[in-house]
Amino acid sequence: MRTCHGCSLCFLSSLCVVSVVVVFLLSGHFCELMRSSGSNSEFSVPMVELQTKFTRDDQDRPVLTGGFSTGFYVNQFGNRTIRKKTRLSREQKLEQGLARARSSIRRAASKLNLSATVRGDDFDPSRFVYRNPGAFYHRSYEEMERRFKVYVYSEGDPPITHDGPCKDIYTIEGRFIHELEHGAGMFRTRDPHRAHVYFLPFSVTWMVKYIYKPLSYDLTLLKQFVSDYVGVVSMKYPFWNRTCGADHFMLACHDWGPHVAKGNPFLYNTSIRVLCNANTSEGFNPQKDISLPEIHLYGGNVPSKLLTPPPVDAPRPYLAFFAGGVHGPIRPILLHHWKNRDNDLRVYEYLPKEIDYYSFMLQSKFCLCPSGHEVASPRIVEAIYAECVPVILSESYVLPFSDVLRWEAFSIQVDVSEIPRLKEVLSAVSEERYRRLKENLKVVRRHFVLNKPAQRFDVFHMILHSVWLRRINVNLE
């Protein structure tokens, strides 16, 4: 079993795919024929229908048994007299199973069962942190556990494929790859014909480390690697060409993940991209793409001070807290108005050596989470761990798992234009509302925890659930 530390310079073997790039570019397989010479980020595949709502057709489709569809056809006299049996293909069986799941979730969503609990878990859906607890707990998540299968392509070698960082700001990238490939989960299948989705197991962070030329800002080699990898799997297997990548997904936490995905226009525009840099102004499409929480784990573990936050009634003497470098468009505004300006709203560029960062979070009611160079911030998850209400200061950012979670139930979103009034805005939050926000943080915390091994409803499973939601809403027929 590979460990998270498999970072040898054997990345050269990963580049075996590069040697065949010319062959694949000239092979003329289906998706390449569909791509025009001037293809750009606006490309779409008409054969793939995104179902943004659960349709009546899903509810009315017959429930199939035994792998056969039985029905009637009308003869020339208009009589429904002849029964015909048609054996379903493997693909049709998968799609019919997903149709049944859609119908089941749709029915559960209409009931809006707020009082139920789940298998003895200590969740209380009545806290309204979920958009629809009944649909999430009692149908969608359980349907995922019952049906969902992921195939991981075996092509490539570590460290650039089948490996990733596990102890830094991009921790989520490596931990997801390793859990999916080596964990004891029920979702991975070794038979690609049984899969609902196909995972491209390359690490953008390790591409940057091993392929990128420092300070060049030239991403050509990274895009070429992605292009070559897709070329290899599309020639070796039928699955990419069958859907032009609509049932494939990649995962990247590095800021350059969206840019590297442009190595293949179908990967960028058609596939599911799981990205920390979930910026709608830069092409992130929440209809098909997934916002990935950025989790910074020094040494690979949650800081000990954040494992057990203080009791609910413990005093938090500071109104709000932030400490961080000046980069990106928002932080300079925050620091200009509040750096060293107020004893209640403590804003630092760099913390004094005698002050502990996490201790300050645990003593603050609100934790300010401004975007940096890119929209995501690890402070959001740190604030959730500390039960310090996150204050989101960002633009064009799609928050993680927002198709399931109501972020307004456990965080505050403040427009950048309101930063000069930040203390006034936060002081106006009533004690009752603050208490509810803080209690709801306890509910959502486990959705953002990286467990080893993974546990139900943790961040690994929430990522898979987000992929599952997008897959069941794509009609590949």
Side-chain angles (χ1 to χ4, degrees):
M1 180 181 295
R2 300 187 185 99
T3 67
C4 283
H5 313 294
C7 303
S8 67
L9 292 179
C10 64
F11 79 95
L12 291 174
S13 59
S14 294
L15 293 178
C16 64
V17 294
V18 178
S19 63
V20 291
V21 62
V22 176
V23 175
F24 296 135
L25 288 177
L26 298 178
S27 64
H29 54 283
F30 176 69
C31 288
E32 294 301 321
L33 287 174
M34 289 185 64
R35 186 194 338 177
S36 65
S37 59
S39 61
N40 54 43
S41 61
E42 298 302 318
F43 184 87
S44 62
V45 182
M47 63 180 267
V48 176
E49 176 188 358
L50 286 175
Q51 299 181 336
T52 58
K53 297 182 179 179
F54 300 115
T55 66
R56 185 175 181 82
D57 291 341
D58 291 332
Q59 191 170 2
D60 294 340
R61 287 182 183 179
V63 177
L64 306 178
T65 58
F68 289 90
S69 174
T70 302
F72 295 96
Y73 71 89
V74 179
N75 66 13
Q76 58 180 329
F77 303 106
N79 299 318
R80 296 174 68 237
T81 59
I82 304 175
R83 183 180 297 270
K84 181 181 179 180
K85 286 188 176 181
T86 304
R87 182 178 292 276
L88 295 177
S89 67
R90 286 174 298 198
E91 292 79 10
Q92 288 173 323
K93 292 177 185 178
L94 288 176
E95 293 306 312
Q96 292 288 359
L98 294 179
R100 291 196 293 272
R102 281 196 297 270
S103 178
S104 176
I105 295 167
R106 185 174 184 271
R107 289 193 299 271
S110 66
K111 294 178 181 177
L112 194 63
N113 185 358
L114 296 177
S115 62
T117 56
V118 182
R119 294 186 184 177
D121 287 354
D122 56 350
F123 289 158
D124 179 9
S126 64
R127 294 177 185 270
F128 295 97
V129 298
Y130 304 100
R131 295 193 179 279
N132 192 310
F136 172 53
Y137 283 119
H138 292 285
R139 287 297 183 269
S140 186
Y141 194 92
E142 290 187 353
E143 287 282 359
M144 177 187 76
E145 290 185 322
R146 176 187 175 192
R147 301 178 186 274
F148 197 36
K149 296 299 178 185
V150 181
Y151 182 76
V152 182
Y153 285 114
S154 61
E155 283 63 35
D157 295 303
I160 298 177
T161 56
H162 310 289
D163 197 6
C166 294
K167 293 185 177 182
D168 62 12
I169 196 170
Y170 307 121
T171 292
I172 190 71
E173 195 172 298
R175 292 284 288 272
F176 181 87
I177 292 172
H178 283 268
E179 182 63 37
L180 185 58
E181 293 211 41
H182 307 299
M186 67 186 79
F187 300 102
R188 186 180 181 186
T189 177
R190 304 285 179 174
D191 180 359
H193 295 283
R194 296 183 61 222
H196 297 97
V197 295
Y198 302 84
F199 180 50
L200 304 166
F202 50 72
S203 167
V204 174
T205 303
W206 277 176
M207 288 184 203
V208 174
K209 182 174 182 179
Y210 293 109
I211 299 178
Y212 171 70
K213 182 179 180 180
L215 303 179
S216 69
Y217 299 100
D218 183 359
L219 305 185
T220 302
L221 290 178
L222 283 66
K223 293 178 182 178
Q224 188 65 60
F225 182 92
V226 169
S227 176
D228 296 344
Y229 194 90
V230 172
V232 167
V233 299
S234 66
M235 285 296 294
K236 186 173 180 179
Y237 305 90
F239 310 109
W240 176 274
N241 297 327
R242 189 175 65 191
T243 66
C244 290
D247 52 358
H248 287 59
F249 75 101
M250 61 165 283
L251 181 142
C253 197
H254 196 280
D255 293 349
W256 289 347
H259 307 291
V260 173
K262 291 180 180 179
N264 183 283
F266 291 92
L267 177 63
Y268 187 89
N269 294 289
T270 309
S271 299
I272 301 167
R273 299 178 304 152
V274 188
L275 305 170
C276 285
N277 188 9
N279 189 338
T280 57
S281 70
E282 296 181 357
F284 182 88
N285 178 6
Q287 190 179 35
K288 73 172 187 67
D289 297 328
I290 295 166
S291 179
L292 183 65
E294 193 168 284
I295 302 176
H296 193 176
L297 298 185
Y298 297 94
N301 299 304
V302 175
S304 58
K305 291 185 177 180
L306 301 184
L307 289 174
T308 54
V312 175
D313 56 353
R316 294 200 177 224
Y318 304 110
L319 177 65
F321 166 67
F322 169 78
V326 183
H327 56 81
I330 297 175
R331 293 186 187 187
I333 300 173
L334 176 64
L335 290 167
H336 171 73
H337 287 282
W338 295 106
K339 178 182 176 182
N340 300 327
R341 296 289 184 91
D342 194 290
N343 288 330
D344 293 328
L345 204 156
R346 308 301 290 266
V347 174
Y348 300 88
E349 182 176 354
Y350 297 104
L351 274 178
K353 292 182 178 179
E354 66 275 10
I355 297 179
D356 178 73
Y357 180 84
Y358 297 118
S359 296
F360 232 121
M361 295 186 82
L362 294 168
Q363 296 180 71
S364 301
K365 295 176 67 176
F366 299 95
C367 286
L368 308 181
C369 305
S371 295
H373 287 306
E374 303 297 346
V375 291
S377 170
R379 287 171 179 79
I380 295 176
V381 174
E382 290 172 341
I384 292 172
Y385 291 167
E387 295 178 9
C388 175
V389 177
V391 179
I392 312 298
L393 299 168
S394 187
E395 293 179 329
S396 305
Y397 181 35
V398 177
L399 290 162
F401 315 138
S402 52
D403 42 11
V404 170
L405 301 177
R406 295 177 61 247
W407 277 80
E408 63 271 23
F410 57 92
S411 69
I412 301 286
Q413 297 191 49
V414 177
D415 192 89
V416 174
S417 63
E418 294 291 289
I419 288 178
R421 298 180 53 249
L422 191 56
K423 184 175 182 180
E424 178 185 348
V425 171
L426 297 181
S427 298
V429 176
S430 68
E431 283 300 319
E432 175 62 21
R433 185 187 177 196
Y434 171 72
R435 182 186 63 80
R436 291 197 305 267
L437 291 168
K438 197 164 182 296
E439 288 179 349
N440 290 340
L441 283 173
K442 291 181 177 292
V443 178
V444 300
R445 176 189 173 103
R446 69 187 299 181
H447 296 320
F448 293 89
V449 173
L450 271 168
N451 294 302
K452 190 175 182 181
Q455 300 176 14
R456 296 184 78 229
F457 296 107
D458 69 3
V459 69
F460 172 78
H461 288 89
M462 292 297 288
I463 295 168
L464 281 182
H465 183 261
S466 295
V467 178
W468 159 252
L469 284 181
R470 281 145 185 82
R471 177 61 182 87
I472 64 175
N473 283 306
V474 176
N475 182 2
L476 300 182
E477 294 180 294

